Amino acid sequence: MVSHSELRKLFCSADAVCFDVDSTVIREEGIDELAKFCGVEDAVSEMTRRAMGGAVPFKAALTERLALIQPSREQVQRLIAEHPPHLTPGIRELVSRLQERNVQVFLISGGFRSIVEHVASKLNIPSTNVFANRLKFYFNGEYAGFDEMQPTAESGGKGKVIKFLKEKFHFKKIVMIGDGATDMEACPPADVFIGFGGNVIRQQVKDNADWYITDFVELLGELE
């Protein structure tokens, strides 16, 4: 086990910090919000709960949920315009502080790129630093599936993204921060996993994270 002081040092000396988005950077689960908007909330949120607990393979759960929702391009655009995601308190300051220290910040999400890019723009994170799932639409705007080639479309995908980032940018130390099982699985190749319970506490993550926090203020304090 790495001591807490060593974990703090690792966090403060990281070249890159990768954040999960749903229930971490934002307060909501994007897919549940989309389901609510499209009128199929209950069935989908139960599937999300099982997927986040690691009980169902991620890609299978994503396929099932999207088949129920069938979101059109217009519905996705209206969701972002009418119900924009709410940033978790402290995240804007934390990202800004990391960027001031020349730390690269990435968003790695099993959610949808159209929503995640909207979040990234609020945090001054370039869209090139966003890894998320792409919804596909027919030319008339109807739902046509999702891009199954994206690494984030399956279990273990976040780890694949981090491995890619290490190979491409030669980062020595990458920290992964998130609330769910798919975030925890990304370490290794991430060097440290910080579990986040500020919006939802998942016991499995709380019990197994290298470091567990419920408020981004704790990490901000380390960067003073």
Side-chain angles (χ1 to χ4, degrees):
M1 284 294 288
V2 183
S3 75
H4 193 64
S5 65
E6 286 175 289
L7 283 170
R8 286 159 61 181
K9 267 190 214 141
L10 269 167
F11 173 67
C12 291
S13 62
D15 313 287
V17 176
C18 300
F19 289 92
D20 169 51
V21 177
D22 295 325
S23 297
T24 300
V25 167
I26 61 172
R27 307 202 69 149
E28 305 87 353
E29 283 289 326
I31 195 162
D32 288 351
E33 294 302 303
L34 188 56
K36 193 189 296 182
F37 194 75
C38 297
V40 288
E41 177 186 7
D42 292 347
V44 170
S45 57
E46 171 58 20
M47 281 186 199
T48 297
R49 195 183 59 71
R50 283 166 48 218
M52 290 308 293
V56 183
F58 185 81
K59 188 185 267 187
L62 184 62
T63 305
E64 276 181 55
R65 288 178 293 177
L66 283 170
L68 271 173
I69 302 170
Q70 296 275 325
S72 68
R73 182 186 280 121
E74 188 211 357
Q75 282 172 316
V76 174
Q77 289 166 345
R78 276 180 50 217
L79 171 69
I80 295 167
E82 295 171 22
H83 303 280
H86 297 92
L87 292 176
T88 299
I91 188 65
R92 198 191 292 274
E93 295 80 1
L94 179 57
V95 169
S96 177
R97 185 74 50 83
L98 288 166
Q99 290 170 332
E100 281 165 17
R101 293 166 67 105
N102 294 316
V103 177
Q104 286 287 321
V105 177
F106 295 88
L107 299 181
I108 307 179
S109 174
F112 308 120
R113 191 172 182 96
S114 44
I115 297 172
V116 176
E117 283 187 340
H118 173 81
V119 173
S121 71
K122 296 246 177 286
L123 296 170
N124 296 315
I125 295 170
S127 60
T128 48
N129 286 23
V130 169
F131 294 84
N133 289 316
R134 291 178 186 274
L135 292 170
K136 296 200 290 196
F137 303 100
Y138 293 110
F139 68 91
N140 65 356
E142 286 179 9
Y143 175 67
F146 63 96
D147 181 358
E148 297 191 24
M149 301 310 290
Q150 294 296 320
T152 47
E154 57 193 344
S155 301
K158 292 181 182 180
K160 284 183 186 155
V161 172
I162 289 173
K163 183 169 179 283
F164 164 77
L165 292 176
K166 282 192 161 183
E167 288 168 359
K168 183 175 180 184
F169 297 108
H170 309 291
F171 292 134
K172 300 276 186 295
K173 290 180 201 145
I174 295 188
V175 174
M176 179 75 207
I177 301 175
D179 68 289
T182 58
D183 308 309
M184 194 161 65
E185 284 168 7
C187 182
D191 299 277
V192 178
F193 170 61
I194 300 176
F196 182 71
N199 293 311
V200 59
I201 291 176
R202 305 189 199 280
Q203 199 60 42
Q204 178 196 7
V205 174
K206 186 176 182 181
D207 293 344
N208 295 293
D210 297 317
W211 181 357
Y212 196 77
I213 63 166
T214 54
D215 196 322
F216 287 127
V217 167
E218 188 175 337
L219 295 182
L220 263 171
E222 300 296 341
L223 299 174
E224 290 302 331

